Amino acid sequence: MLTQPSPASISSDLASNLSIATYDVVVVGGGIVGLTVACGLRGSGLTVAVLESSPRSSVHRRSQAYAFSLTSARIFKGLGLWDQVRPAVEPFHHIRLSDCDWPDVVTFEPADAGETEDLGYVAEHTVLVKVLQGAVEAAPDVDWIGPAIAQDVTYDDRWAYVSVEPGDDAVEVPPQVRAKLVIGADGARSPLRKGADIPTRGWKYWQSCIVAVVRPEKHHNNTAFERFQTSGPFAILPLRDTCRVVWTAPHAEAETMMKLDDQAFLQELSKRFGDQLGALELVGDRRLFPVQLMQSKQYVAPRLALVGEAAHNCHPVGGQGLNLGIRDGAALAEVLVAAYGRGDDIGAVETLRPYDRQRRWGNWLILGFTDILDRAFSNQWLPVMAVRRLGLFAMQRVAPIKQIAIRVMTGKWGHIPKLVPPEGLPEK
């Protein structure tokens, strides 16, 4: 039980009079994955605080867009948020995989995944965060603390203590927060992971990723393209009247492309994009980021659980990164709610171990899958080219292989959190 008087929610004036604000769970990181966990714990009887270093407005102002899988969509339905998200995301009804100029193209349709309409969605960061933030604001058992920085975390047998510094002098925050469990949703460089001495495995790729937005002359027909170039995967994701391009290339090539003026960049882009959508117009700025694979040796420690990029990173091929994090958040919420219902200590390693087993091994599968895809298709060695093209040939024509591939891409492979409703998504 909490030592905090009821109600558990701590207002700013009360927090200023308390040295320690007490909760069951503190989520460090108020991005999409951290907020997914917090939303999954609403109404469970657990009291939750979300500690975020950036102002709320800047958290949802980022311009990213993501491939959003069917399973992620169903998790949002289980959270009661899908009806708010669905009007603002772009569905794709077709997926086309191709290898450079090889004429054999693998085409996926909804029926291949046992669906009637959509194979996935493209969702903007702003849309997802605003909806999640609104749900947190409306929940009486979830508090937002921020902008605030988790300066230091110490653990004992019963509590985790988080020292808090305000991220803005105008915002009053409790100087210390304690909880039965701290959840690290604090990104790839996670201070919580490092502070707990949790080792990681992985490597940096020889590639960087360019993200750009183009407006094509012809409509994209709600088709997502994944083209495997010899320099790296090249994805085209539909979003309203534009397309999001995710272009992976060796570091030197990617840096050269970034230095080109818009017209020269579009010319290089068109060579890879093809002419199926007509002329292209560049919209907004380009972004460049390095690519890496990382997996934490463990996702849990006493009074600590890691989710999202704090636990793992993968190659952007296939658009799996955010979807893995959302499944982490839903799976962890499932374990914590069940443990709380049994009266178990939610911060004990024994309680958290089912989450670690489910997600760490499931994520290894996807990390390995994306790594093999990148290495096999970013390769000009003739035996490898022959094998991968034989694989594409078989994927298009052998139903079981095609079904396995689409189950992985849509997030239907492995453990499905109980937040996912069995009846699926409503039709549009």
Side-chain angles (χ1 to χ4, degrees), residues 131-213:
V131 169
L132 288 164
Q133 284 183 348
V136 165
E137 290 173 9
D141 46 3
V142 182
D143 286 345
W144 179 280
I145 300 176
I149 301 166
Q151 192 64 29
D152 185 48
V153 183
T154 58
Y155 307 87
D156 65 22
D157 291 341
R158 298 182 60 225
W159 299 98
Y161 297 86
V162 184
S163 298
V164 181
E165 290 189 1
D168 184 334
D169 292 339
V171 176
E172 193 170 13
V173 299
Q176 191 174 57
V177 176
R178 72 174 181 175
K180 295 292 185 181
L181 175 68
V182 173
I183 297 175
D186 51 342
R189 298 180 180 178
S190 173
L192 284 176
R193 184 189 68 232
K194 294 176 181 177
D197 293 325
I198 295 176
T200 63
R201 302 169 181 169
W203 47 81
K204 293 183 178 179
Y205 287 94
W206 65 97
Q207 299 159 320
S208 292
C209 188
I210 301 170
V211 178
V213 181

Side-chain angles (χ1 to χ4, degrees), residues 286-401:
R286 307 163 238 165
R287 292 187 297 111
L288 179 71
F289 60 90
V291 181
Q292 67 172 347
L293 182 146
M294 183 274 285
Q295 171 81 315
S296 296
K297 187 176 181 181
Q298 61 203 59
Y299 287 7
V300 302
R303 309 278 159 214
L304 175 66
L306 303 176
V307 293
E309 290 189 343
H312 50 80
N313 284 168
C314 69
H315 196 283
V317 62
Q320 296 294 319
L322 176 68
N323 297 297
L324 295 183
I326 290 172
R327 286 184 73 168
D328 290 347
L332 181 56
E334 174 190 330
V335 167
L336 295 179
V337 170
Y340 180 73
R342 296 190 302 265
D344 294 345
D345 179 358
I346 62 169
V349 170
E350 293 76 14
T351 301
L352 298 170
R353 196 160 282 135
Y355 162 72
D356 180 83
R357 284 197 301 266
Q358 291 170 8
R359 296 307 303 145
R360 188 159 51 86
W361 292 108
N363 289 341
W364 261 130
L365 173 68
I366 301 300
L367 267 62
F369 175 70
T370 59
D371 185 67
I372 290 171
L373 275 181
D374 181 52
R375 293 180 186 277
F377 284 91
S378 304
N379 197 308
Q380 299 183 63
W381 192 40
L382 288 177
V384 174
M385 291 174 65
V387 169
R388 76 189 186 217
R389 288 173 178 174
L390 179 62
L392 289 176
F393 180 89
M395 191 182 298
Q396 177 67 2
R397 293 162 180 82
V398 181
I401 297 176

Side-chain angles (χ1 to χ4, degrees), residues 189-248:
R189 298 180 180 178
S190 173
L192 284 176
R193 184 189 68 232
K194 294 176 181 177
D197 293 325
I198 295 176
T200 63
R201 302 169 181 169
W203 47 81
K204 293 183 178 179
Y205 287 94
W206 65 97
Q207 299 159 320
S208 292
C209 188
I210 301 170
V211 178
V213 181
V214 296
R215 183 174 289 109
E217 181 182 8
K218 302 175 185 177
H219 192 263
H220 47 61
N221 194 32
N222 293 91
T223 301
F225 298 86
E226 186 83 55
R227 290 189 164 185
F228 297 106
Q229 305 285 342
T230 54
S231 58
F234 183 89
I236 305 166
L237 302 176
L239 184 58
R240 293 187 291 276
D241 65 339
T242 67
C243 291
R244 302 273 167 156
V245 175
V246 184
W247 176 2
T248 309

